[in-house]
Amino acid sequence: MSWCCCNSVCTSSSRQLLATSDLSSIPSRVSNAGLKQKRSLRGVPKVFAYYGLKTPPYKLDALEPYMSQKMLEVHWGEHHCGYVEALNKQLEKNDMLYGCTMDELIKVTYNNGNPLPEFGVAAQVWNHDFFWESMKPGGGDMPKLGLLQLIEKDFGSFTNFKEKFIEAALTLFGSGWIWLVLNREEKRLAIIKTSNAVNPLVWNDIPLIGLDLWEHAYYLDYKNDKANYVNVFMNHLVSWDAALGRMARAQAFVNLGEPKIPVA
Amino acid sequence: MAATASANSLTSTFLPRQGVYGSSHQSIQLRTQKFARKAGSGTITAKFELQPPPYPMDALEPHMSSRTFEFHWGKHHRAYVDNLNKQINGTELDGKTLEDLILVTYNKGAPLPAFNNAAQAWNHQFFWESMKPNGGGEPSGELLELINRDFGSYDTFVKEFKAAAATQFGSGWAWLAYKPEEKKLAVVKTPNAENPLVLGYTPLLTIDVWEHAYYLDFQNRRPDYISIFMEKLVSWEAVSSRLKAATA
């Protein structure tokens, strides 16, 4: 069954799920999975896992004037919410996929390039979470410390990186995303374009920044002027703090400092 | 001093212009290619031109706003045509008809750079002509017979067409097409710039489901857009006329 676009107005129930779950001690921003207990006729509780809609780490008007409140209301409140609801609906029919973390779910449903029906919505849920966290009010400027060093090492200069990133964004055709990733195998940074819902997790790379280039991400504010949107993202929205944090965490998995020891 | 040779009119499967703009043309003319001869250099360059939709930009209100047309036709469609011209200028692709260009640059599934612009230029022209003011309603005549034969009923066809349009993930198009080999109608959905020409089918009707086609009017409510398209915008005349040309 192919992916179905969610046409129902997003209900408030999915946004309130985390508040009413048994895991109320966990800050709702961190947990992306909730558990609900339902008593069957025999009184034995059945447990259903589901995903909840995370709120962006800032108010919906916080990115004005670069990304309007209206834009966020529709993008987060309708599209992102719609993906979450569609995912939960699809998972209802497939208990094989229950209980996965989002990362696992994406890799499993990607199915090595032959995606299962749940992949599109699952990946889009993750992608949008990542996107909100790739931005911040008063964003832009430059990365600092180790991340800046890495960018300079792998791209020559920050300016060169920025140029390449923008060029990649402008040459992406159709719907998709642009990512700055840490390539696990090559142990270097890279800029990656993906179509539709695909994200670098499927290749086991570590994303640091994600930019939504589906038209719904910018149309209300920028109409067809994609170049303006991408430049504004780089100059005023991108959260290098978030990227630095992700980079630091990535170093627990990728050893960047290891010297090359020649084998005799 | 550039002397412009007379326009080379191309036959295509698009419907004759009529109605709003006055006289109807005998020949079906979609694209005019102007051949400009530069004095002294002997170069001939063909340029595709952006044609306006066959109705004023506010004629489809309130179902498709003139604001949408301002951007969709005035910016998106225009950019595809302009960029296509830049891409083919002076290359061996210069001078081909748009349909030939699409097939050549599709390159059996490994598309060349000009494919996206060529196909999108064609797709959008086809799309404007798939709609008309006070459109919608139901098909009739031979078209309705074929729909009933190949889908069971008109309602089943509508359901299938709407589902294809709604489930095309990301950007793309949904089509009613005629398969010449099987002599049957089919509903097809294509991603990004692809169209049924590359599959060897004859397109009869299309709906643009790139988000830019409906975002200003409907935001994320794609199913509403699709329903309005079917109920108020489709030009069954255009579809019938294309079917006639395909089965002639």
Side-chain angles (χ1 to χ4, degrees):
Chain A
M1 183 152 89
S2 49
W3 176 86
C4 210
C5 100
C6 182
N7 63 344
S8 59
V9 171
C10 193
T11 60
S12 58
S13 59
S14 47
R15 277 180 237 158
Q16 283 166 11
L17 283 168
L18 291 166
T20 56
S21 76
D22 290 339
L23 304 170
S24 52
S25 57
I26 295 176
S28 64
R29 285 234 58 258
V30 173
S31 152
N32 203 20
L35 290 174
K36 185 163 118 179
Q37 288 197 317
K38 193 174 171 180
R39 301 218 166 251
S40 71
L41 289 173
R42 278 190 245 128
V44 176
K46 268 175 160 187
V47 176
F48 296 92
Y50 58 75
Y51 295 93
L53 178 69
K54 260 199 235 174
T55 51
Y58 35 75
K59 288 205 175 130
L60 296 188
D61 61 356
L63 302 182
E64 296 261 12
Y66 308 110
M67 192 175 277
S68 65
Q69 178 177 351
K70 173 90 178 140
M71 188 76 247
L72 274 166
E73 277 171 4
V74 182
H75 197 179
W76 174 74
E78 307 286 346
H79 287 273
H80 192 182
C81 187
Y83 287 128
V84 172
E85 294 201 334
L87 177 61
N88 286 332
K89 220 166 162 187
Q90 290 197 11
L91 290 182
E92 265 175 28
K93 302 169 190 158
N94 189 346
D95 7 327
M96 292 280 291
L97 297 173
Y98 269 163
C100 287
T101 63
M102 191 54 89
D103 289 30
E104 286 170 0
L105 185 61
I106 288 169
K107 286 194 188 150
V108 164
T109 53
Y110 183 66
N111 196 25
N112 288 311
N114 224 338
L116 307 179
E118 296 84 353
F119 174 74
V121 283
Q124 284 291 80
V125 171
W126 188 96
N127 293 342
H128 283 87
D129 284 339
F130 194 81
F131 179 51
W132 307 133
E133 294 172 1
S134 295
M135 296 188 288
K136 67 171 207 180
D141 199 21
M142 280 181 59
K144 300 184 177 56
L145 305 173
L147 182 53
L148 179 59
Q149 280 175 13
L150 254 186
I151 286 179
E152 284 173 347
K153 169 175 149 286
D154 291 332
F155 291 99
S157 67
F158 176 69
T159 313
N160 192 38
F161 154 74
K162 196 169 155 183
E163 252 175 53
K164 290 264 173 325
F165 190 87
I166 294 176
E167 189 195 325
L170 297 182
T171 54
L172 173 69
F173 188 73
S175 304
W177 299 76
I178 301 291
W179 311 87
L180 170 64
V181 304
L182 176 63
N183 184 315
R184 247 191 247 250
E185 275 185 28
E186 295 175 28
K187 299 186 185 178
R188 51 174 295 135
L189 296 178
I191 295 169
I192 297 198
K193 290 195 246 198
T194 58
S195 280
N196 293 351
V198 180
N199 66 36
L201 295 180
V202 308
W203 300 299
N204 210 27
D205 285 337
I206 302 178
L208 303 177
I209 294 281
L211 171 59
D212 191 351
L213 283 173
W214 283 58
E215 286 172 324
H216 68 235
Y218 58 91
Y219 215 77
L220 291 182
D221 290 344
Y222 297 94
K223 315 288 184 302
N224 64 309
D225 198 352
K226 192 161 78 163
N228 195 6
Y229 163 64
V230 177
N231 276 287
V232 163
F233 173 82
M234 287 306 286
N235 295 332
H236 299 287
L237 289 172
V238 66
S239 171
W240 288 115
D241 293 339
L244 188 61
R246 291 160 177 166
M247 188 66 232
R249 188 169 177 273
Q251 290 185 300
F253 302 93
V254 181
N255 195 338
L256 293 170
E258 201 157 44
K260 283 198 180 133
I261 299 172
V263 178
Chain B
M1 215 62 72
T4 337
S6 62
N8 189 12
S9 72
L10 310 165
T11 54
S12 74
T13 53
F14 297 118
L15 84 160
R17 293 188 187 282
Q18 57 189 304
V20 178
Y21 284 124
S23 62
S24 61
H25 299 218
Q26 295 289 42
S27 64
I28 297 171
Q29 182 173 304
L30 164 67
R31 293 227 176 287
T32 49
Q33 282 185 309
K34 291 217 170 97
F35 292 86
R37 181 166 275 122
K38 289 185 189 156
S41 66
T43 35
I44 303 178
T45 52
K47 258 174 74 95
F48 291 106
E49 287 205 346
L50 177 68
Q51 302 290 326
Y55 35 74
M57 304 232 284
D58 60 358
L60 302 188
E61 295 261 13
H63 315 298
M64 189 175 279
S65 64
S66 64
R67 192 133 192 275
T68 290
F69 269 99
E70 198 188 312
F71 287 98
H72 198 179
W73 175 78
K75 308 273 181 186
H76 291 273
H77 189 181
R78 187 183 302 277
Y80 290 128
V81 174
D82 288 348
N83 290 334
L84 175 63
N85 285 328
K86 277 187 217 154
Q87 270 178 319
I88 62 174
N89 186 25
T91 70
E92 76 266 16
L93 297 173
D94 212 340
K96 289 190 185 303
T97 65
L98 192 56
E99 284 87 352
D100 280 347
L101 205 51
I102 290 171
L103 293 172
V104 164
T105 54
Y106 183 65
N107 196 27
K108 300 189 183 128
L112 307 178
F115 173 75
N116 286 336
N117 288 318
Q120 285 290 80
W122 190 97
N123 295 343
H124 282 86
Q125 187 63 41
F126 194 81
F127 178 50
W128 311 135
E129 297 182 352
S130 296
M131 297 186 286
K132 65 170 204 179
N134 301 313
E138 293 197 11
S140 56
E142 195 200 337
L143 175 59
L144 182 59
E145 276 175 33
L146 273 187
I147 286 179
N148 285 332
R149 186 195 75 182
D150 293 336
F151 293 97
S153 68
Y154 172 67
D155 285 337
T156 314
F157 153 72
V158 169
K159 223 168 150 188
E160 219 180 288
F161 186 80
K162 283 187 176 182
T167 57
Q168 176 51 43
F169 192 70
S171 307
W173 304 75
W175 310 81
L176 171 63
Y178 178 72
K179 294 172 149 184
E181 284 187 16
E182 301 170 42
K183 295 200 184 348
K184 280 185 73 159
L185 297 177
V187 163
V188 175
K189 60 183 180 186
T190 56
N192 294 349
E194 283 180 31
N195 64 33
L197 293 175
V198 308
L199 302 168
Y201 304 164
T202 307
L204 301 178
L205 171 66
T206 193
I207 179 172
D208 187 352
V209 290
W210 282 63
E211 286 172 326
H212 65 237
Y214 57 91
Y215 217 76
L216 295 179
D217 293 340
F218 294 91
Q219 286 84 66
N220 68 308
R221 301 184 311 276
R222 199 199 278 191
D224 289 350
Y225 159 66
I226 298 166
S227 293
I228 292 283
F229 174 84
M230 291 307 290
E231 289 161 25
K232 310 280 187 195
L233 292 173
V234 172
S235 167
W236 289 117
E237 285 163 12
V239 183
S240 288
S241 142
R242 291 158 176 171
L243 177 66
K244 206 163 167 200
T247 51

